[in-house]
Structure formats: C-alpha cells, structure tokens
Amino acid sequence: MACRWLQLILGSYWIISVSALIVNEYYHTSPIAQSRLIFDLLSKYHESVPPTHEGPVQVEIGFTMSFFDFLDEGHQQACIHMWSSRAWTDPRLRWDPAKYNDTDNILLDIDQIWIPDIELYNGATSLNTVKASAVIQHTGKISYVPSFQINFICDMDLSYFPYDTQTCSLKMGSWHYHSETLNLSLSSAKPDLSHFKRINDFTLLEVKQQRNLRTYPCCQEEYIDVTYSFILKRQSSAYSAKLVLPSVLAGFLVLGTFLVPNTSCERLTLCIVLFLCIVHLLTYLHDIIPTSGESILGCYLAFALFLDFFAIILAIISYNLQRSTRAMQELRGEMENDVDGENELKIRKPPNRKKGFMRFFDFGCFILFAVTFIIGLAVILGRRG
C-alpha cells in the first residue's frame, strides 16, 4: 500500500516537472519571447514623449537618392524619390536578451514609438512617405529608413540656358524640437547615388550635404536643419543644334541684309522672313522655359528682333528711294528718244547721284547696326555675368 502511494507521488511529480518544462520551453520560444518583450517595453511607454533621459536626442541622418521624377523650370519645382535613414537611441527600449530567448532586435511600427519629426522646410506639397517599420536593437538604438516622394522648391537661374548648371537644395529638419531637445547630425557615409537614374536633360554631378544651426524670428531657441544640394548640369547638345545656332545665324543675317543690293525688293523680303523666324524662335524658347526673358538667349533674340524691325523700316525707305530713281531714269530715256524733225535734240544725262548716295547709306547702316549689335551683346553679357 505504501509503495503504491509512493508511485503515485513520484508519478505526479514527474508529470508536473515535464509539464513545467514544456510550458517553460514554449514560454521562451522566439515568438512568445518577442511578444513578452514588446509587452514589457510598451506597457509603460508613451510615444509622444521624446527620450531626453540622457540629454538631447542624438539623431544621425543619412541619404540615398533613387531618381528625379521631374524638374520643372517654369514653376521652379522638382520631384525626387529618396530614402532617408535615421538612427537614434531611446533608453526606454533597452532589454537583456538573455531574458527573452536571446532576442537582440525587434521590429515595431512607428506609431508605437517616438520618432523625430523630420519635416521638409522648402516643400511644394505635403511629404509623401511610404510607411516603414523601425528596427530596435537591445541597446535601445533605433534605425528607421522611410521612403519619400518629395515635391520641393528649386530656385533655378536660367541666365545661361541651355548651357546652365542648376543647384537644387533640399532642406530638412525638426519642426517642433529645438537643438536642446533634438540634435541632428550628418551620417559619416557620403550620400549614396548608386541607384540614381538620369532625369530628362540633366546629369547629376554632385550632392553636397551641410548641417546648419539657425535662429528664427518666432523663437529664441536654435533649430538644426540638414541641407542637401544637388548640382545638375544640362545636356545642351540638342539645344545647340535646334535653338542656339539658328538664333545666332538669324542675328548675323540681320546685319547681312544691308549687303543685299537695293535694286529690288529682295532686301525687304529677307528682313520680313528674318523677323518671322526670330519671332518663331522666341515662341519656341518660351515654350521650353516660360521665363525665357531672363535668359541671355531670350535677350539676344529680343535685341535681334528690335534691330530687324528697324532694318525693315530702312529697307522700305531704301526701296522707295530706288523706285523714285528708276522713274527719273525712265523719264530721261523718253526725252532722249524724242527727235524733232532733222535736228536731234540730245539731252545730256546728269550723273546718278542718288545711286551713290544709296550705296553710302547702306554701308553706313551696316556699320551702325554692326556697332549697335556688338554693344548690345556686350551689355547683355555684362548684365548676366
């Protein structure tokens, strides 16, 4: 009887031990350990409170660019796709991996933890962010790499279009927290451009990054921002052939109209054709960049159009003078052929002074327009330089 009771006691102890072992093993498996870990970390955690337990939150920001979606010269805007890595430490999210089945990192949704409010200062529209999770190490270090589609203001100087180099700046920083709460620092690694794709007519030459400490009129505290500058160079070979070369030739042909003989109306026709060509080039330039009046090429075409207008007026004057000279010559010819009886009345034809005057007038206009053309180009280039 006693042996039976001993067997029952030993059997119950063995069942309890095995059950405890099974429960303990199940309790410490990775999914259960992570669930316990997340519950323990977030039970007394508040996501709206910054982790300033050890001073200002040190946030390291990095940059990886994918491609430019568009670059709009007319509206001075650009759209870019990029990844922005952020790393900081939150002491409230530290744990001992040995207590949680050697779990040394977990993934948490960004809505569950505090994240720095990095905003775009010069954005044209709201910041479109592809939602991503944050990786938390057992040391409390957090890594967050969101993907952005950003429309931002790009102040472009089109003075030297189409041989221009543009610099578009992307300014990011905290919207609420000043430098005593959040300290932004640049990543030691240079911006990653391995995924960059060429956009339209521009080639990316370089990306510069700079950390700035500024004081704004609204507040006494200093705020930190990070500025990325994209240096883009336009590929001008196509514009040289279809825009720059015709514009330069049209301007020089305006001077060449005074070398055309004024014995017919070909000069006036050439001036009118050049006027229409220059107007067409100005319209084409305006379609490419609506602010074409601010470029050297636009000013050059406007100046050539102005000279061609006066060339048309001078061609009309020259043509009218030439017609009056022809009428006088025809009248003199009729008088020379008029014979009265046996006595021939011969009229001595005076030298044609108007013809020599017209040649001198054309040469003087050519010299005057050439000097005006050179001075005008020097003024345009001087103002833009």
Side-chain angles (χ1 to χ4, degrees), residues 350-364:
N352 189 359
R353 296 181 179 179
K354 287 189 177 182
K355 188 174 182 180
F357 171 75
M358 291 304 301
R359 291 178 179 176
F360 177 78
F361 178 76
D362 289 342
F363 181 74

Side-chain angles (χ1 to χ4, degrees), residues 112-223:
Q112 297 178 286
I113 61 173
W114 179 90
I115 61 171
D117 60 331
I118 307 298
E119 298 290 342
L120 181 64
Y121 284 8
N122 59 334
T125 59
S126 59
L127 195 64
N128 297 324
T129 307
V130 177
K131 195 172 182 180
S133 298
V135 180
I136 296 92
Q137 305 291 334
H138 70 278
T139 57
K141 183 178 180 180
I142 303 174
S143 299
Y144 176 50
V145 187
S147 175
F148 296 102
Q149 180 184 356
I150 304 174
N151 292 346
F152 63 99
I153 303 298
C154 178
D155 295 327
M156 304 182 68
D157 183 9
L158 301 173
S159 299
Y160 297 99
F161 175 87
Y163 305 103
D164 53 332
T165 300
Q166 302 297 337
T167 300
C168 294
S169 296
L170 189 66
K171 184 178 177 181
M172 305 178 70
S174 175
W175 191 256
H176 297 100
Y177 300 112
H178 48 77
S179 60
E180 295 180 1
T181 302
L182 191 147
N183 181 26
L184 281 179
S185 62
L186 294 171
S187 175
S188 57
K190 294 183 178 180
D192 185 6
L193 305 179
S194 59
H195 298 86
F196 176 74
K197 298 179 182 178
R198 179 177 170 181
I199 170 178
N200 299 338
D201 304 322
F202 289 91
T203 300
L204 182 65
L205 298 181
E206 186 181 1
V207 177
K208 296 180 179 180
Q209 55 182 0
Q210 183 178 359
R211 178 182 179 272
N212 304 304
L213 187 64
R214 303 177 187 272
T215 302
Y216 297 95
C218 67
C219 314
Q220 297 179 354
E221 297 84 0
E222 294 181 325
Y223 288 81

Side-chain angles (χ1 to χ4, degrees), residues 246-255 271 274-279 281-282 296-312 369 372-373 376-377 380:
S247 300
V248 173
L249 294 180
F252 281 101
L253 283 177
V254 173
L255 301 178
C271 289
L274 287 175
F275 188 88
L276 296 176
C277 290
I278 295 173
V279 170
L281 290 171
L282 273 173
I296 293 179
L297 186 58
C299 294
Y300 170 80
L301 288 173
F303 180 66
L305 189 68
F306 177 78
L307 291 182
D308 190 57
F309 172 75
F310 281 97
I312 291 175
F369 270 58
T372 305
F373 189 78
L377 285 182
I380 293 174

